[in-house]
């Protein structure tokens, strides 16, 4: 490649990277502005339950950082709660992790999908659990595969496949980011640590 062509390609890549970083920063700012509401099925007053760290099966967790892997990433991480102590997540492969994001993450959100029952949320977590052992999907734009998953695609797929609920806002095209799971109008924030 000629030097001039390389410089042009590098400039375009740098501009795309800056635009991408700006998109992510805007998504984080939007997530931070989301109101925190009571979880579905709560029988206690809103004031008493708003902002309590979630342990309910089927609640989605998202962060803009991945503290467990060494600091801030461009997109963060997402998982689904399986039990009071366990989440299902896609890291190097789909596996179980600790449900301690309120302690282990610098910032995180807990969201519930609007239009589903608590039983349906639990079934989405069960769907995710059945994917344990599948490999990591490095082709982020290929969200249709079910042979491998990246973290937010994995959570997105459970609700898309089971209930036809598309949590992708389209901010980055087909790619589903953790912040989209927070910012879509199809979820409600029930916990926020910012």
């Amino acid at each position: 490649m000629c030097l001039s062509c390389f410089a042009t390609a590098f400039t375009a890549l740098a501009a795309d990277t800056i635009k991408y970083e700006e998109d992510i920063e805007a998504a984080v700012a939007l997530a931070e502005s989301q109101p925190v509401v009571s979880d579905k099925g709560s029988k206690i007053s809103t004031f008493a339950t708003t902002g309590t760290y979630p342990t309910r099966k089927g609640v989605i967790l998202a962060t803009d950082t991945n503290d467990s892997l060494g600091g801030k990433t461009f997109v963060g991480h997402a998982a689904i709660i399986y039990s009071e102590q366990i989440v299902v997540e896609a890291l190097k492969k789909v596996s179980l992790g600790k449900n301690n994001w309120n302690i282990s993450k610098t910032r995180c959100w807990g969201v519930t999908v609007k239009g589903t029952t608590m039983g349906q949320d639990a079934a989405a977590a069960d769907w995710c659990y059945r994917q344990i052992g599948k490999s990591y999907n490095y082709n982020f734009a290929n969200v249709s595969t079910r042979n491998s998953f990246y973290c937010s695609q994995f959570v997105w797929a459970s609700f898309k496949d089971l209930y036809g609920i598309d949590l992708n806002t389209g901010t980055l095209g087909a790619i589903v980011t953790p912040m989209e799971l927070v910012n879509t109008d199809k979820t409600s924030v029930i916990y926020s640590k910012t």
Side-chain angles (χ1 to χ4, degrees), residues 139-160:
N139 183 356
F140 300 127
N142 182 9
V143 295
S144 63
T145 184
R146 297 298 181 262
N147 294 323
S148 60
F149 296 97
Y150 59 90
C151 64
S152 42
Q153 172 220 358
F154 171 63
V155 173
W156 165 86
S158 67
F159 289 94
K160 178 75 169 152

Side-chain angles (χ1 to χ4, degrees), residues 53-55 61 81 83-87 97-102:
Y53 182 75
T55 57
L61 296 175
I81 295 175
S83 73
E84 190 172 319
Q85 294 88 26
I86 296 172
V87 299
K98 292 181 181 179
N99 184 13
N100 65 353
W101 288 31
N102 57 328

Side-chain angles (χ1 to χ4, degrees), residues 89-108:
E89 58 191 342
L91 287 169
K92 294 179 183 176
K93 63 180 182 177
V94 178
S95 58
L96 299 177
K98 292 181 181 179
N99 184 13
N100 65 353
W101 288 31
N102 57 328
I103 298 165
S104 67
K105 304 297 182 200
T106 304
R107 298 192 303 192
C108 68

Side-chain angles (χ1 to χ4, degrees), residues 7-23:
T8 301
F10 181 77
T11 301
L13 178 61
D16 285 347
T17 300
I18 290 168
K19 173 70 170 112
Y20 176 73
E21 289 175 2
E22 289 171 353
D23 289 343

Side-chain angles (χ1 to χ4, degrees), residues 27-124:
V28 170
L30 181 59
E32 289 176 334
S33 73
Q34 298 292 335
V36 178
V37 300
S38 293
D39 193 7
K40 62 180 81 166
S42 175
K43 301 213 185 309
I44 304 172
S45 72
T46 301
F47 178 77
T49 59
T50 298
T52 302
Y53 182 75
T55 57
R56 180 175 62 79
K57 188 174 186 177
V59 170
I60 298 168
L61 296 175
T63 182
D64 68 323
T65 61
N66 197 340
D67 303 308
S68 63
L69 295 180
K72 189 167 176 116
T73 64
F74 286 119
V75 295
H77 188 50
I80 192 165
I81 295 175
Y82 189 71
S83 73
E84 190 172 319
Q85 294 88 26
I86 296 172
V87 299
V88 186
E89 58 191 342
L91 287 169
K92 294 179 183 176
K93 63 180 182 177
V94 178
S95 58
L96 299 177
K98 292 181 181 179
N99 184 13
N100 65 353
W101 288 31
N102 57 328
I103 298 165
S104 67
K105 304 297 182 200
T106 304
R107 298 192 303 192
C108 68
W109 292 263
V111 301
T112 186
V113 175
K114 296 176 184 176
T116 57
T117 65
M118 290 187 294
Q120 288 173 315
D121 294 346

